């Protein structure tokens, strides 16, 4: 029998890559997405596929979610308000989508005993200063007056709820904390740095670094991440557990800008602007963000295929072949 998967947020960046990978495995895919940050173009290539179905609707529509959960065996819950810029600009929407949507989804999945993969985020570690973040580390969040932290808090509630369903009723759920994930189809409009730098480099600049650029991140390629989450849903020992997922190759944001510029053969200028100009007054950035990947390596032998240089090349060639995304209309600043 063909496995049936529901992807909430399936028209988004990661969701659409997941849909593609599941279809390639010969599995059936149902997508629910309200197109708030996802885009219909992301799923265009699959629309004619016999095993692909999509519904444009919010995950807060409980009867609709109930119906879709009924039809599927596994639910990949990716629908969420994402992107630091979006979160700072629209905090009410962030909290409501992330909490109410997940509440509905988990309730329906628990009722029907379906497998769930819950997408969470490295934001939940907050400002912790660990060398590498481990799944059992404390959350170190800023005050409620700073909207950024509403994202981490809402996702932490999602995790608590999922783990509670697992503990109380045995809901087969796996939680994944995505670190910075990049690749084709990710757009810069919601603040993500790599597509912004690539678009800026291809448009002739400037490439705008926030703060002094000494903050660092690790970037994982989307297909590596997607393969890992599919494997995790097929790993019974992963149930009821939280996994970091990403890359351990650390780079400062200034160095990232320089590498993008060199690889795009761009003569764009690299400039810096203060955080308060980029976001809002008093914005708190995360200085370092590196995952400890021991747990996911032990569980599924996670071994990402792509390093940062290859990833930057892939993103540059994606934007080069999508001229519309580098036109003045889609300028990132
Ligand atoms: N950033 C930047 N220029 C941009 C967008 C982001 O310098 O146009 C910085 C941002 O301040 C942060 C890092 O790049 O320090 C990663 O930002 P992103 O929003 O991609 O991810 P996150 O902050 O969630 O790790």
């Amino acid at each position: 029998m063909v496995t049936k998967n529901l992807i909430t947020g399936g028209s988004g960046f990661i969701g659409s890559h997941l849909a593609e990978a599941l279809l390639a495995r010969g599995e059936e895919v149902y997508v629910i997405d309200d197109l708030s940050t996802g885009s219909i173009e992301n799923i265009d290539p699959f629309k004619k596929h016999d095993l692909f179905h999509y519904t444009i609707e919010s995950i807060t529509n409980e009867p609709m979610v109930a119906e879709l959960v009924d039809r599927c065996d596994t639910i990949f819950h990716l629908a969420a308000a994402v992107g630091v810029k979006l979160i700072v600009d629209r905090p009410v929407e962030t909290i409501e989508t992330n909490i109410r949507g997940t509440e509905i989804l988990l309730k329906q999945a628990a009722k029907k005993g379906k497998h769930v993969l819950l997408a969470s985020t490295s934001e939940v570690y907050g400002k912790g200063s660990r060398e590498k973040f481990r799944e059992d580390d404390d959350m170190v969040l800023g005050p409620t007056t700073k909207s950024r932290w509403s994202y981490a808090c809402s996702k932490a509630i999602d995790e608590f709820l999922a783990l509670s369903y697992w503990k109380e009723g045995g809901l087969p759920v796996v939680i994944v904390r995505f670190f910075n994930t990049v690749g084709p189809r990710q757009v810069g409009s919601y603040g993500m740095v790599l597509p912004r730098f690539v678009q800026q480099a291809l448009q002739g600049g400037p490439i705008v670094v926030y703060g002094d650029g000494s903050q660092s991140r690790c970037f994982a390629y989307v297909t590596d991440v997607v393969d890992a989450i599919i494997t995790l849903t097929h790993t019974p020992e992963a149930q009821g557990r939280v996994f970091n997922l990403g890359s351990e190759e650390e780079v400062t944001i200034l160095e990232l800008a320089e590498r993008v510029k060199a690889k795009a053969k761009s003569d764009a200028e690299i400039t810096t602007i203060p955080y308060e100009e980029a976001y809002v007054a008093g914005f708190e950035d995360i200085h370092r963000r590196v995952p400890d990947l021991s747990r996911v390596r032990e569980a599924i032998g996670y071994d990402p295929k792509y390093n940062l240089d290859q990833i930057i090349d892939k993103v540059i060639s994606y934007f080069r072949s999508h001229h519309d995304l580098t036109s003045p209309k889609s300028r990132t600043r």
Side-chain angles (χ1 to χ4, degrees):
M1 229 181 50
V2 178
T3 308
K4 295 183 166 70
N5 304 279
L6 172 62
I7 309 175
T8 72
S11 301
F13 158 56
I14 300 179
S16 63
H17 283 277
L18 176 61
E20 191 173 348
L22 292 168
L23 289 170
R25 289 163 60 95
E27 298 187 15
E28 190 154 5
V29 173
Y30 290 80
V31 160
I32 178 166
D33 198 304
D34 65 359
L35 299 182
S36 53
T37 55
S39 108
I40 202 81
E41 288 85 51
N42 285 345
I43 55 169
D44 261 346
F46 329 127
K47 279 188 191 158
K48 290 208 175 85
H49 202 297
D50 287 346
L51 296 176
F52 184 78
H53 321 272
Y54 69 99
T55 308
I56 305 303
E57 184 53 87
S58 162
I59 48 159
T60 53
N61 179 336
E62 191 158 1
M64 179 65 76
V65 169
E67 168 72 27
L68 289 168
V69 167
D70 247 348
R71 285 191 211 166
C72 295
D73 314 298
T74 302
I75 299 133
F76 293 88
H77 180 39
L78 268 55
V82 289
V84 174
K85 192 168 165 20
L86 174 81
I87 283 139
V88 169
D89 291 347
R90 306 199 313 241
V92 172
E93 189 184 319
T94 300
I95 298 165
E96 286 189 355
T97 313
N98 292 1
I99 295 183
R100 277 187 45 221
T102 303
E103 221 177 299
I104 289 170
L105 199 282
L106 290 174
K107 187 170 109 191
Q108 292 302 326
K111 230 189 221 171
K112 293 151 191 168
K114 304 296 172 86
H115 286 251
V116 177
L117 184 294
L118 175 76
S120 184
T121 167
S122 55
E123 274 281 313
V124 298
Y125 295 110
K127 321 185 251 190
S129 55
R130 299 290 297 243
E131 179 78 6
K132 287 182 174 184
F133 291 120
R134 293 179 66 113
E135 288 85 348
D136 294 329
D137 282 345
D138 289 340
M139 299 188 286
V140 185
L141 305 185
T144 52
T145 45
K146 299 197 168 161
S147 296
R148 172 181 197 139
W149 304 114
S150 66
Y151 179 46
C153 261
S154 64
K155 280 298 189 178
I157 289 287
D158 289 354
E159 290 195 19
F160 275 125
L161 193 59
L163 291 170
S164 305
Y165 270 113
W166 157 256
K167 284 177 198 151
E168 281 182 28
L171 174 76
V173 64
V174 179
I175 298 171
V176 166
R177 289 186 185 151
F178 290 130
F179 281 66
N180 298 67
T181 306
V182 293
R185 299 185 204 139
Q186 185 179 45
V187 291
S189 338
Y190 307 106
M192 279 76 168
V193 67
L194 185 58
R196 292 172 76 85
F197 281 1
V198 170
Q199 279 174 292
Q200 289 164 349
L202 296 179
Q203 288 160 352
I207 300 174
V208 185
V209 171
Y210 301 160
D212 64 4
S214 66
Q215 70 273 30
S216 68
R217 296 292 187 272
C218 302
F219 297 90
Y221 195 61
V222 62
T223 54
D224 282 329
V225 164
V226 158
D227 290 348
I229 64 175
I230 295 173
T231 310
L232 282 168
T233 59
H234 293 283
T235 307
E237 305 75 47
Q239 288 173 14
R241 305 192 74 198
V242 179
F243 294 89
N244 286 340
L245 200 53
S247 153
E248 284 168 326
E249 190 182 342
E250 187 176 2
V251 64
T252 68
I253 296 303
L254 187 59
E255 194 191 328
L256 180 73
E258 282 157 359
R259 275 158 86 165
V260 167
K261 176 179 160 151
K263 284 183 160 293
K265 297 192 171 44
S266 162
D267 45 25
E269 185 197 348
I270 298 173
T271 56
T272 58
I273 62 166
Y275 284 118
E276 47 273 27
E277 212 178 293
Y279 299 105
V280 285
F283 178 82
E284 294 181 280
D285 197 14
I286 287 156
H287 195 67
R288 259 191 97 228
R289 177 180 272 161
V290 182
D292 181 318
L293 298 175
S294 322
R295 187 179 286 186
V296 70
R297 256 197 305 266
E298 269 159 43
I300 59 166
Y302 177 64
D303 180 23
K305 286 196 188 73
Y306 298 101
N307 65 29
L308 184 58
D309 275 330
Q310 294 167 309
I311 293 172
I312 296 173
D313 285 339
K314 280 178 167 291
V315 174
I316 291 172
S317 62
Y318 170 73
F319 278 105
R320 281 216 165 105
S321 59
H322 289 74
H323 295 291
D324 48 323
L325 293 173
T326 46
S327 72
K329 234 175 46 192
S330 67
R331 284 189 77 91
T332 48
R333 276 187 60 79

